[in-house]
Amino acid sequence: MLSAEDAAIAATISLLLEVSASPKSGNVDRDHDFEDLKFEDFLISSAAAFPSFLRAAESKKIGENIFYAVKTSSRWQRAGNVHFGAFLLLIPLLTGWEGRRGKEVAKIASENVKRTTSDDSIYVFKAFKICKARVLEVEKFSLKDDKTKNFIVEKNLNLYNWMLLAPKDNLIAKELTEGFKISLKASEKLFNYKNKKEAIVYTFHELLASYLDPLILAKFGYEKAVEIKIKASEALKEGIEGFKKLDQELLNIKANPGTIADITASAIFLAICDGWLYA
Amino acid sequence: MLSAEDAAIAATISLLLEVSASPKSGNVDRDHDFEDLKFEDFLISSAAAFPSFLRAAESKKIGENIFYAVKTSSRWQRAGNVHFGAFLLLIPLLTGWEGRRGKEVAKIASENVKRTTSDDSIYVFKAFKICKARVLEVEKFSLKDDKTKNFIVEKNLNLYNWMLLAPKDNLIAKELTEGFKISLKASEKLFNYKNKKEAIVYTFHELLASYLDPLILAKFGYEKAVEIKIKASEALKEGIEGFKKLDQELLNIKANPGTIADITASAIFLAICDGWLYA
């Protein structure tokens, strides 16, 4: 990346390309809206996030800019939670833009996550309160409970230590505490395809076949999440036609693997750092 | 608009919603790529323009920011001219963001166009050299000819006076010198539809049925441009099915009414100034 502005451009492009790629089983894409969440909401939210992306790249402040990204996104569209998970990944990554390649960007971002304070955690908590994202429930620090805020302050939990307490299936917490390993691996896979749209569609389904999506887990439980993971593996053998079938099946039961989409976006960002757009 | 940042967000959203609406006869949209110009190029260019949009809103500098928007867009995508016409309209409009409604925004923008200097014209000339947009040819100040640059300097032509010399069919010059009348009228039409996507598709075709597209004129000449205008009128009576048919017909002969799309984008921007996203 040449500048903080370029980093913000790359993050915005990541969101735009991710949501536009189709078919992405169960999720909103250029061909599929939900009743209360449309393709246009994602476009609007992506544009609305730009100033927060730019500030994150310039100031390296994580929590604050996650909060402002969610707040500005929610002011510009009325669908509620559009990009909470994606912002949780992209904004830390943006603070690492000066790294020469995706790997170094992820490394600097991970160090910056470790350097956050409990103020960052409070900002993320407040961001969640605005967009009411669906997350995996845990007893001690439910995002729905104001006690969590006190808990963060009492224990002086920075974002890193807070995320360490998340359930093991919380893939975003995993990314933030384990060096963005999943996103980095997926970013390499994106280079295996000549066509960008196809690259995103395949990479999304490879992730879906490899991990249980936390949103699916929260909405449908373990059994269904495992079933979808297995079905994604089978769809991968068939390619686009397989994805289309699985897409329809998941749309019918409103099972949207939103976190897998978020990680697809962070993978695109890291791939762009490695020159993917012109590969 | 609450701030210069919001104005830049609105301009970026205008480009994203415009290109996503489908079917838009003959043009790139979410369902139609050209061989050398894809939907993704428009998404990328829209994100890349954000910093120039923001600077235009903050500094009110027109020519310079048209140049930087084209330059940054061309650095991020390789399709060449993606948004030249749209930038020529949106960047002046962004300098008027403090206006309370679309009408006032257009008024301030028009005054700012009148206040430009020959430096602004030189910047626009340089922007054209980068993206090699197709424009209506004229003898005296062809954008392809370096003599034009000398002509601008000698005659001390600011953007307003330069645009006054454009052929009468140059709709963008018309907008810049006549108070954005076409965009304003189209922005009002956008409010007539409940669904945003439908609003854009219909407004685009109403413009296509009302004006000869300069890109079509430059590529195919007067007779064909008139024919397309008449066909757009007929398609309007049929609605979406009519648009789909005309779309296929124009795509087959590679007739893309790009300027009508540019004006659709500036109309969306003005409509957003009037609260259209939440109307």
Side-chain angles (χ1 to χ4, degrees):
Chain A
M1 295 292 154
L2 292 176
S3 64
E5 274 181 5
D6 269 348
I9 290 170
T12 308
I13 290 173
S14 305
L15 294 180
L16 294 172
L17 295 186
E18 187 283 314
V19 72
S20 298
S22 172
K24 283 194 327 287
S25 296
N27 280 327
V28 169
D29 61 36
R30 70 171 78 178
D31 298 321
H32 302 104
D33 289 332
F34 301 154
E35 211 174 296
D36 53 352
L37 183 62
K38 299 195 188 318
F39 180 63
E40 285 79 2
D41 293 318
F42 282 83
L43 300 180
I44 290 171
S45 175
S46 304
F50 192 105
S52 308
F53 286 167
L54 182 57
R55 270 195 281 269
E58 284 171 347
S59 72
K60 326 286 188 211
K61 286 184 183 172
I62 292 179
E64 194 177 310
N65 285 307
I66 291 171
F67 173 73
Y68 284 118
V70 168
K71 197 178 161 189
T72 314
S73 163
S74 301
R75 197 157 53 75
W76 277 93
Q77 47 75 26
R78 302 284 158 90
N81 174 29
V82 178
H83 279 136
F84 183 56
F87 294 157
L88 278 171
L89 295 167
L90 285 173
I91 287 193
L93 286 174
L94 277 157
T95 71
W97 70 268
E98 278 153 299
R100 269 160 313 169
R101 293 179 58 83
K103 257 191 181 158
E104 205 179 314
V105 169
K107 192 166 169 273
I108 301 172
S110 300
E111 287 160 7
N112 288 339
V113 171
K114 281 189 187 158
R115 268 200 284 271
T116 54
T117 70
S118 60
D119 284 350
D120 292 271
S121 304
I122 297 293
Y123 268 120
V124 170
F125 181 76
K126 278 163 63 185
F128 171 80
K129 298 282 274 186
I130 293 177
C131 69
K132 296 177 187 67
R134 191 189 284 263
V135 289
L136 287 167
E137 272 309 314
V138 279
E139 265 177 52
K140 264 202 182 161
F141 54 103
S142 164
L143 275 170
K144 288 181 188 157
D145 189 346
D146 269 339
K147 281 182 206 155
T148 303
K149 201 172 155 183
N150 303 332
F151 182 75
I152 289 169
V153 176
E154 272 167 36
K155 302 278 179 190
N156 193 22
L157 283 178
N158 73 1
L159 201 53
Y160 179 79
N161 287 315
W162 185 25
M163 290 297 129
L164 280 179
L165 300 178
K168 71 166 183 28
D169 285 318
N170 183 329
L171 293 180
I172 288 175
K174 203 177 168 72
E175 285 297 85
L176 292 174
T177 53
E178 296 179 11
F180 297 90
K181 270 188 218 161
I182 306 172
S183 307
L184 274 173
K185 201 172 151 195
S187 78
E188 287 168 23
K189 297 224 171 186
L190 285 166
F191 281 86
N192 296 343
Y193 303 87
K194 214 176 164 184
N195 176 301
K196 301 284 176 266
K197 200 172 1 178
E198 199 180 78
I200 297 170
V201 166
Y202 271 86
T203 302
F204 169 87
H205 284 94
E206 284 180 31
L207 286 166
L208 195 61
S210 308
Y211 301 94
L212 300 177
D213 183 84
L215 274 183
I216 301 285
L217 278 168
K219 231 169 147 177
F220 294 90
Y222 187 72
E223 207 170 316
K224 191 77 194 168
V226 171
E227 185 194 316
I228 289 173
K229 181 168 168 280
I230 293 169
K231 283 191 172 167
S233 291
E234 287 161 6
L236 267 172
K237 291 175 206 151
E238 274 189 78
I240 300 292
E241 284 313 308
F243 303 152
K244 279 187 186 167
K245 264 186 278 172
L246 183 58
D247 191 21
Q248 204 46 60
E249 196 181 326
L250 298 193
L251 289 170
N252 288 344
I253 58 167
K254 297 187 179 179
N256 55 317
T259 306
I260 295 296
D262 296 333
I263 295 178
T264 305
S266 52
I268 295 172
F269 179 78
L270 289 168
I272 293 177
C273 294
D274 284 338
W276 179 65
L277 284 180
Y278 317 109
Chain B
M1 295 292 153
L2 292 175
S3 64
E5 275 181 5
D6 269 348
I9 290 171
T12 307
I13 289 173
S14 305
L15 294 179
L16 293 172
L17 295 187
E18 187 284 313
V19 72
S20 298
S22 173
K24 281 194 329 287
S25 296
N27 279 326
V28 170
D29 60 36
R30 70 171 77 177
D31 298 320
H32 300 106
D33 289 333
F34 301 154
E35 211 175 295
D36 54 351
L37 184 61
K38 300 194 187 317
F39 180 63
E40 285 80 1
D41 294 317
F42 282 84
L43 300 179
I44 291 171
S45 175
S46 304
F50 193 104
S52 308
F53 286 167
L54 182 58
R55 271 195 280 271
E58 284 170 347
S59 72
K60 326 285 189 211
K61 286 186 183 171
I62 292 178
E64 193 177 311
N65 285 305
I66 290 170
F67 173 74
Y68 283 118
V70 168
K71 198 177 161 189
T72 314
S73 164
S74 302
R75 195 157 52 76
W76 278 92
Q77 48 74 28
R78 302 286 158 89
N81 174 30
V82 178
H83 279 136
F84 184 56
F87 294 158
L88 279 171
L89 295 167
L90 285 173
I91 288 194
L93 285 175
L94 277 157
T95 70
W97 69 269
E98 279 154 297
R100 269 160 311 169
R101 293 179 58 82
K103 256 190 182 160
E104 205 179 313
V105 168
K107 192 166 170 272
I108 301 171
S110 299
E111 287 160 7
N112 289 339
V113 172
K114 281 189 188 160
R115 269 200 283 267
T116 55
T117 70
S118 60
D119 285 350
D120 292 87
S121 303
I122 296 294
Y123 268 120
V124 170
F125 180 77
K126 279 163 62 185
F128 171 80
K129 299 281 275 185
I130 293 177
C131 69
K132 295 178 188 65
R134 191 188 284 265
V135 287
L136 287 167
E137 272 309 313
V138 279
E139 264 178 53
K140 264 202 182 162
F141 53 103
S142 163
L143 275 170
K144 289 181 187 157
D145 189 344
D146 270 338
K147 281 181 206 155
T148 303
K149 201 172 156 184
N150 303 332
F151 183 75
I152 289 169
V153 177
E154 271 167 35
K155 303 279 179 189
N156 194 21
L157 283 178
N158 74 0
L159 201 52
Y160 179 79
N161 288 314
W162 185 25
M163 290 297 131
L164 280 180
L165 300 177
K168 71 169 183 24
D169 286 318
N170 183 329
L171 293 180
I172 287 174
K174 204 176 168 71
E175 285 295 86
L176 292 174
T177 54
E178 296 179 12
F180 297 91
K181 271 189 219 160
I182 306 171
S183 306
L184 274 173
K185 202 173 150 196
S187 77
E188 286 168 23
K189 298 225 173 187
L190 285 166
F191 281 85
N192 296 342
Y193 302 87
K194 215 177 163 182
N195 176 299
K196 301 284 176 269
K197 201 173 358 179
E198 198 179 79
I200 297 171
V201 166
Y202 270 86
T203 302
F204 169 87
H205 284 94
E206 284 181 31
L207 286 167
L208 194 61
S210 309
Y211 301 94
L212 300 176
D213 183 85
L215 275 182
I216 301 284
L217 277 169
K219 230 169 148 177
F220 295 90
Y222 187 72
E223 207 171 316
K224 191 77 195 168
V226 171
E227 185 194 316
I228 289 172
K229 182 168 166 281
I230 294 168
K231 284 191 172 166
S233 291
E234 287 160 7
L236 268 172
K237 292 175 206 153
E238 274 188 78
I240 300 293
E241 283 314 306
F243 303 152
K244 280 187 186 165
K245 264 185 278 173
L246 183 58
D247 190 22
Q248 203 46 62
E249 196 181 325
L250 298 194
L251 288 171
N252 288 344
I253 57 167
K254 297 188 177 176
N256 55 316
T259 307
I260 295 296
D262 297 333
I263 295 178
T264 305
S266 52
I268 296 171
F269 178 79
L270 290 168
I272 293 177
C273 295
D274 284 337
W276 178 66
L277 283 181
Y278 317 110

